[in-house]
Amino acid sequence: MTEKSAERPKTSGPGRTLIVFYFIMTIAALARSLYEIAAHFQVAPVAYLLSLFAGLVYLVATIALIRPGRTAFRVAQAAITVELVGVLAVGTLSVVDLALFPFAGDRSTVWAYFGLEYLLIPLVLPILGLLFLRSQRAVFTRAA
């Protein structure tokens, strides 16, 4: 099997769709956080820094999903796991303590309310990402 055919499953169909969603979330989270940090950081520094962190996690996951090899597989797995833990932790905190991240306010973050402001994509994306990685383990590691 050539290297091109080994890469094909993760860069077409569901793999391509997953990468596109990660890219969109990267742009959304980074653009939002960079604007908020530049425009009014003092209003809610924790929320804005969490959004920046989320954007960087999405960026790392996007790049790792595109690249072949074992290292990329491990980096993608780690980034997506961090993403899932972040969404669950921040989502739970935002529901338990409403004052931390006011909903639909300028002090919210990408992962607040499990990503409700982003149509729950931040909650669903890491689950789908980990399932995809599990199904494509051989493709990632074979293309090294």
Side-chain angles (χ1 to χ4, degrees):
M1 189 177 277
T2 67
E3 191 171 317
K4 278 284 186 203
S5 63
E7 286 185 54
R8 184 150 177 80
K10 72 176 184 150
T11 58
S12 64
R16 181 173 288 166
T17 303
L18 187 68
I19 291 167
V20 166
F21 269 94
Y22 267 99
F23 181 72
I24 291 169
M25 289 305 296
T26 299
I27 300 300
L30 286 178
R32 175 184 182 166
S33 64
L34 292 174
Y35 167 76
E36 289 172 334
I37 288 169
H40 40 85
F41 180 73
Q42 67 283 358
V43 174
V46 173
Y48 302 155
L49 290 174
L50 278 171
S51 287
L52 178 63
F53 178 72
L56 294 173
V57 169
Y58 289 127
L59 178 62
V60 169
T62 303
I63 293 168
L65 285 168
I66 293 169
R67 298 184 52 85
R70 276 190 191 98
T71 302
F73 178 83
R74 289 184 184 128
V75 169
Q77 202 169 35
I80 294 172
T81 300
V82 166
E83 175 194 359
L84 181 60
V85 169
V87 170
L88 293 175
V90 173
T92 301
L93 278 174
S94 63
V95 170
V96 171
D97 188 353
L98 298 175
L100 283 177
F101 306 105
F103 182 69
D106 63 348
R107 294 180 302 197
S108 191
T109 183
V110 175
W111 291 339
Y113 303 94
F114 304 102
L116 192 58
E117 289 183 3
Y118 291 84
L119 306 174
L120 296 176
I121 292 170
L123 178 61
V124 175
L125 197 57
I127 296 167
L128 294 177
L130 290 172
L131 290 172
F132 174 76
L133 286 175
R134 185 176 177 186
S135 73
Q136 297 295 312
R137 181 183 307 263
V139 173
F140 269 86
T141 55
R142 191 178 327 119

